[in-house]
Amino acid sequence: MAADTGLSGGGDAVWYGPPESWPPEHCRVLYTISKHAQQARNVQSKETWIRQVALLVLLYEGIEAGILPFDYSPSLTWLTFQQQTDRRWLRVSQEAKSVIDDLWEAKLVNGIKLSSVDYQPVTAYQATFRGLAIVEQIPERLKQETDKFLYPPPAVIDEGADGLPTASLDSSGAPQLLHVRYDGEKFWLETSDKSFVKESGITESEDVSYVSSPYIPMCLRSSTSYLVEPTSNRLRAPECALGSNMMAKEANQSLVLSQVHALVGEWLPFGANQISALNERLGAMERCQGGLFSSKLDL
């Protein structure tokens, strides 16, 4: 049996077994969080947290490196830069988010809710004492594999002032962790001294396997004052064959459609009300509800 980590509850039973029986993807995600954010061990230590978006960028790099067996899809995400919040399409793994929620439910990870300057909700995570106890027992093989996307490649070196190659090491001689930086357009992975900088592909648009055209039913079109014929992109349909398959896993087609008409309606005068906005900020509609809340703004 593994050492007692203080875990309890039916959902935590898996962590009572030997380390070899622990879910490897959960171990890798927990190890990633522990490298960047940990619960303070004493009153002299500082609490460290990692934002959800930054964590998702790191996990995306793990997927691209073939270390994490997840898939991803475009997701519209709120991003704050220089006290302004905007929405961007990011390649987000819903499987990775589910694993984070599993760790949160098992009390291996803490979550905290912050607010941006324009009061958009921001979530951050840290590894708890229980999570750190689990990390100490994670097999070294899993840690070494995960380090491949947490640290710069060993082959990447710079030339020092004396012309000799110097690796990206910190003051103690250990390799420097990669941190996530957002410049308003792209995400970058870089070391603290910027001796290694890499652009993340999480903001890249994906190929789609369809062509869409605007469609307005005849009953909604004006027959007198405002005659507009919707444009058709049917001639661009052959471009679908030029796209590449970005599926990371094998999938079976359960339904194939052609000549589809989709009608999306929205009641324009009303938007989200204050109650739904409050529920979103408090995380009441998320899988892991509650947690820590802070009035501190995420600048």
Side-chain angles (χ1 to χ4, degrees):
M1 296 292 288
D4 183 15
T5 59
L7 299 176
S8 61
D12 305 329
V14 64
W15 301 105
Y16 279 112
E20 293 77 12
S21 67
W22 296 344
E25 62 274 10
H26 289 65
C27 292
R28 290 190 174 100
V29 174
L30 177 60
Y31 178 68
T32 300
I33 297 175
S34 69
K35 280 293 185 178
H36 289 267
Q38 297 184 5
Q39 189 174 1
R41 296 180 180 271
N42 50 58
V43 294
Q44 287 79 24
S45 303
K46 291 184 178 180
E47 297 277 349
T48 53
W49 299 86
I50 181 171
R51 296 179 181 88
Q52 182 185 56
V53 173
L55 177 58
L56 293 176
V57 173
L58 290 173
L59 298 182
Y60 166 80
E61 295 299 323
I63 297 172
E64 287 293 286
I67 306 300
L68 296 175
F70 301 146
D71 201 355
Y72 52 77
S73 60
S75 177
L76 200 56
T77 307
W78 288 100
L79 298 176
T80 301
F81 178 71
Q82 293 184 349
Q83 301 185 2
Q84 292 185 352
T85 302
D86 197 6
R87 294 193 297 176
R88 294 288 305 276
W89 288 100
L90 303 181
R91 294 177 170 182
V92 174
S93 172
Q94 300 301 324
E95 295 169 293
K97 295 178 69 174
S98 179
V99 168
I100 297 173
D101 288 339
D102 289 341
L103 298 174
W104 195 348
E105 288 181 342
K107 296 182 174 58
L108 304 181
V109 166
N110 278 334
I112 189 172
K113 290 289 185 180
L114 307 168
S115 294
S116 62
V117 291
D118 50 357
Y119 304 106
Q120 292 297 328
V122 178
T123 305
Y125 305 102
Q126 69 173 186
T128 64
F129 295 143
R130 297 172 178 177
L132 295 176
I134 292 292
V135 169
E136 293 178 356
Q137 303 175 67
I138 293 177
E140 286 299 322
R141 176 183 58 83
L142 292 180
K143 293 182 179 180
Q144 293 175 1
E145 292 175 353
T146 309
D147 286 341
K148 293 180 180 179
F149 65 87
L150 296 180
Y151 293 93
V156 176
I157 56 176
D158 298 324
E159 289 190 357
D162 54 0
L164 298 177
T166 58
S168 299
L169 306 177
D170 57 19
S171 57
S172 63
Q176 296 187 58
L177 269 175
L178 291 176
H179 299 276
V180 178
R181 177 175 61 87
Y182 179 59
D183 63 2
E185 293 292 335
K186 299 180 181 295
F187 285 92
W188 300 88
L189 300 171
E190 58 187 23
T191 55
S192 299
D193 60 0
K194 292 183 172 53
S195 59
F196 175 83
V197 179
K198 172 189 174 183
E199 179 184 342
S200 175
I202 195 172
T203 57
E204 294 180 2
S205 300
E206 291 187 327
D207 291 330
V208 294
S209 57
Y210 58 87
V211 171
S212 61
S213 302
Y215 168 72
I216 303 177
M218 292 300 299
C219 61
L220 298 180
R221 301 184 193 182
S222 174
S223 59
T224 56
S225 59
Y226 191 66
L227 297 176
V228 176
E229 186 66 26
T231 58
S232 175
N233 294 321
R234 181 179 300 178
L235 296 178
R236 300 190 60 183
E239 296 180 15
C240 298
L242 303 178
S244 59
N245 185 6
M246 296 184 174
M247 290 289 293
K249 295 182 178 180
E250 295 184 0
N252 296 325
Q253 294 182 347
S254 58
L255 187 63
V256 178
L257 302 176
S258 63
Q259 302 295 328
V260 177
H261 287 176
L263 181 61
V264 179
E266 182 178 1
W267 186 247
L268 296 180
F270 300 98
N273 57 42
Q274 294 183 357
I275 296 299
S276 63
L278 179 62
N279 286 334
E280 182 180 2
R281 291 171 186 168
L282 296 179
M285 297 180 291
E286 297 179 1
R287 172 181 162 187
C288 293
Q289 302 175 3
L292 302 175
F293 296 89
S294 174
S295 59
K296 183 178 178 60
L297 295 179
D298 181 40
L299 301 176

